[in-house]
């Protein structure tokens, strides 16, 4: 069976390195592998509204930002369909039907949602729309019969919930929907890249992000200010690797060939780590090395972004065309869903005429 990918991001800000190592890079590799017939990349604006309903302008302002981020990391509109969630009303309709298949208790168990409720301080006034976004995510995935979902670890509960909905739907109505599988990053450290302040997650609200669209100077400043080991006061002091953000980033980005190019005093990351732990290796040197590596990764992204920025009308057209194409696919699935749910009265008079 043809493999289909669907994934997406909420347009609440520019995309950052956490998105990049957690999912974006993987999407580009999968796209270029040629193994997937259909790849859908969704700008999840409706989902973004579930916790930004009072700030629609923010969501609107980030549509083009996220589209540019996608294109600049190498999502190729000839190979992948980029589309805007809210423009596909079929997704909202599917969500409504799937709501019958999920209990309130089950929604409240979703660890990602639970965590977000706490972070947003909703307490007992949780908007129903927010609580239900995992159901809408199930609609996004199943509308395209996607079986492979490249996402970060925090999305696993959403995929699990989708699988439950699919099983229940297929059992009660008809075998229409496809059970998806999450595809996580291979490299453990890429699951959740910490912010430059060492906090558990890179997040816009914490102000600790390196954005894909940051200039080389900004990236350098951010890397130089990165959280390291607070006990490593003098160069000669022994240093710690665990919880040291610079080393976490090196674990995510460093490849053997980087040593020849940027730091031929060492042959491997392990050698650097050993020296740092022994004492005698200063933070600045390690940060400079990391900066070279991160810039090498970001430079082609910046260049591609500049190209696309010269012709924003073309980017707009990519979104319109991608959305048109996605709508056709979602509409076909919705028709099957409605037929399975016996909601296709006007296909045949005999269905309701007695
Ligand atoms: N929840 C995802 C995020 O916050 C965005 C998203 C919406 C998504 N629908 C999706 C991801 C479907 C994968 C599949 O980043």
């Amino acid at each position: 069976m043809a493999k289909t990918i669907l994934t997406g991001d909420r347009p609440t800000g520019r995309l950052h390195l956490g998105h990049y190592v957690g999912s974006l890079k993987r999407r580009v590799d999968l796209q270029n592998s040629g193994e997937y017939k259909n790849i859908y990349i969704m700008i999840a604006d409706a989902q973004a509204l579930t916790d930004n309903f009072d700030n629609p302008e923010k969501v609107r302002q980030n549509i083009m930002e996220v589209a540019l981020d996608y294109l600049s990391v190498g999502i190729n509109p000839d190979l992948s369909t980029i589309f805007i969630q809210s423009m596909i009303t079929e997704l909202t309709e599917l969500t409504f039907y799937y709501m019958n298949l999920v209990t309130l208790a089950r929604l409240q168990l979703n660890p990602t949602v639970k965590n977000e409720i706490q972070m947003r301080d909703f307490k007992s006034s949780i908007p129903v729309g927010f609580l239900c976004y995992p159901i809408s995510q199930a609609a996004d995935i199943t509308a395209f019969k996607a079986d492979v979902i490249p996402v970060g670890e925090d999305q696993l509960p959403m995929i699990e919930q989708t699988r439950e909905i699919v099983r229940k739907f297929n059992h009660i109505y008809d075998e229409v929907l496809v059970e998806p599988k999450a595809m996580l990053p291979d490299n453990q450290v890429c699951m959740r890249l910490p912010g430059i302040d060492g906090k558990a997650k890179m997040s816009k609200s914490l102000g600790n992000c390196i954005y894909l669209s940051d200039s080389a100077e900004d990236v350098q400043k951010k890397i130089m200010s990165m959280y390291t080991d607070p006990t490593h006061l003098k160069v000669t002091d022994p240093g710690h690797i665990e919880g040291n953000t610079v080393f976490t980033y090196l674990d995510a980005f460093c490849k053997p060939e980087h040593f020849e190019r940027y730091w031929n005093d060492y042959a491997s990351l392990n050698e650097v780590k050993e020296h740092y732990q022994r004492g005698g290796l200063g933070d600045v040197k390690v940060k400079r090395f990391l900066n070279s590596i991160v810039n090498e990764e970001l430079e082609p992204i910046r260049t591609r972004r500049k190209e696309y920025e010269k012709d924003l009308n073309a980017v707009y057209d990519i979104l319109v065309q991608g959305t048109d194409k996605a709508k056709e696919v979602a509409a076909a699935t919705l028709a099957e869903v409605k037929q399975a749910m016996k909601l296709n009265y006007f296909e045949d008079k005999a269905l309701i005429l007695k």
Side-chain angles (χ1 to χ4, degrees):
M1 201 182 83
K3 292 190 283 184
T4 297
I5 290 179
L6 179 126
T7 185
D9 301 273
R10 299 180 190 185
T12 52
R14 293 180 286 152
L15 301 181
H16 52 61
L17 278 187
H19 294 115
Y20 183 68
V21 298
S23 169
L24 291 174
K25 202 177 151 95
R26 187 62 171 280
R27 294 179 203 175
V28 176
D29 291 344
L30 293 172
Q31 169 195 272
N32 296 339
S33 76
E35 277 175 39
Y36 294 85
K37 193 158 158 268
N38 299 302
I39 304 178
Y40 299 95
I41 315 274
M42 181 181 73
I43 303 182
D45 62 335
Q47 188 176 111
L49 282 174
T50 64
D51 65 338
N52 289 280
F53 57 87
D54 51 354
N55 198 355
E57 191 55 33
K58 170 166 126 188
V59 174
R60 173 153 67 185
Q61 289 310 323
N62 281 300
I63 300 281
M64 282 300 273
E65 288 295 340
V66 171
L68 281 167
D69 282 329
Y70 284 164
L71 294 166
S72 56
V73 296
I75 300 287
N76 174 346
D78 294 330
L79 302 173
S80 301
T81 305
I82 305 177
F83 71 96
I84 305 179
Q85 185 185 29
S86 68
M87 295 290 113
I88 315 244
T89 48
E90 285 80 358
L91 298 178
T92 327
E93 214 174 322
L94 283 174
T95 305
F96 189 71
Y97 296 132
Y98 295 169
M99 281 182 173
N100 298 326
L101 308 177
V102 184
T103 65
L104 181 58
R106 176 62 183 88
L107 285 173
Q108 286 168 328
L109 274 181
N110 185 312
T112 302
V113 173
K114 250 184 171 166
N115 185 14
E116 287 172 320
I117 286 172
Q118 255 176 6
M119 270 170 32
R120 283 165 185 67
D121 216 14
F122 282 142
K123 299 213 173 73
S124 58
S125 32
I126 307 163
V128 174
F130 181 80
L131 196 63
C132 292
Y133 90 72
I135 306 180
S136 121
Q137 192 152 336
D140 304 334
I141 293 169
T142 55
F144 298 91
K145 302 199 174 172
D147 48 2
V148 177
I149 320 294
V151 279
E153 194 183 27
D154 62 327
Q155 295 299 305
L156 285 179
M158 308 303 157
I159 312 298
E160 191 45 47
Q161 195 138 27
T162 303
R163 292 166 61 85
E164 288 172 28
I165 291 172
V166 168
R167 286 197 289 264
K168 203 154 177 187
F169 184 98
N170 288 350
H171 176 72
I172 298 176
Y173 303 112
D174 207 352
E175 289 280 330
V176 171
L177 305 179
V178 175
E179 264 189 69
K181 275 205 190 69
M183 187 187 265
L184 296 173
D186 300 326
N187 183 345
Q188 191 65 27
V189 287
C190 294
M191 294 275 194
R192 186 166 295 161
L193 199 69
I196 56 170
D197 55 0
K199 295 232 172 75
K201 204 176 164 183
M202 196 173 265
S203 126
K204 187 173 177 247
S205 49
L206 296 172
N208 60 5
C209 303
I210 294 178
Y211 293 102
L212 298 175
S213 50
D214 276 345
S215 67
E217 299 76 58
D218 286 342
V219 173
Q220 186 176 18
K221 261 188 233 147
K222 288 180 181 179
I223 289 181
M224 287 302 161
S225 75
M226 235 175 198
Y227 178 85
T228 56
D229 169 10
T231 68
H232 188 236
L233 297 173
K234 281 186 266 148
V235 172
T236 48
D237 289 341
H240 295 88
I241 303 296
E242 305 76 43
N244 185 322
T245 318
V246 176
F247 283 96
T248 311
Y249 279 47
L250 283 174
D251 281 332
F253 289 100
C254 182
K255 294 193 214 104
E257 64 262 28
H258 289 139
F259 290 94
E260 282 161 43
R261 244 172 281 167
Y262 304 116
W263 210 6
N264 51 25
D265 296 349
Y266 300 90
S268 71
L269 187 53
N270 272 339
E271 278 185 20
V272 179
K273 287 180 178 173
E274 274 162 27
H275 192 181
Y276 190 83
Q277 285 169 311
R278 254 192 339 263
L281 177 56
D283 284 350
V284 172
K285 281 193 180 165
V286 193
K287 284 177 170 175
R288 279 205 194 113
F289 178 53
L290 175 64
N291 183 55
S292 307
I293 295 174
V294 171
N295 257 319
E296 179 185 298
E297 194 86 30
L298 291 183
E299 203 43 51
I301 298 179
R302 286 190 197 109
T303 310
R304 231 179 275 126
R305 190 183 187 96
K306 282 202 194 94
E307 281 305 307
Y308 279 110
E309 277 172 345
K310 281 189 209 148
D311 191 359
L312 291 175
N313 276 307
V315 179
Y316 184 90
D317 289 343
I318 288 170
L319 291 177
V320 173
Q321 280 156 17
T323 302
D324 281 348
K325 181 174 168 204
K327 191 171 171 74
E328 259 175 52
V329 179
T333 305
L334 178 64
E336 282 181 73
V337 161
K338 290 181 78 169
Q339 189 185 43
M341 295 181 75
K342 304 193 182 296
L343 301 172
N344 53 336
Y345 318 111
F346 294 164
E347 267 172 31
D348 178 357
K349 276 188 184 168
L351 290 173
I352 49 173
L353 283 186
K354 299 240 168 62

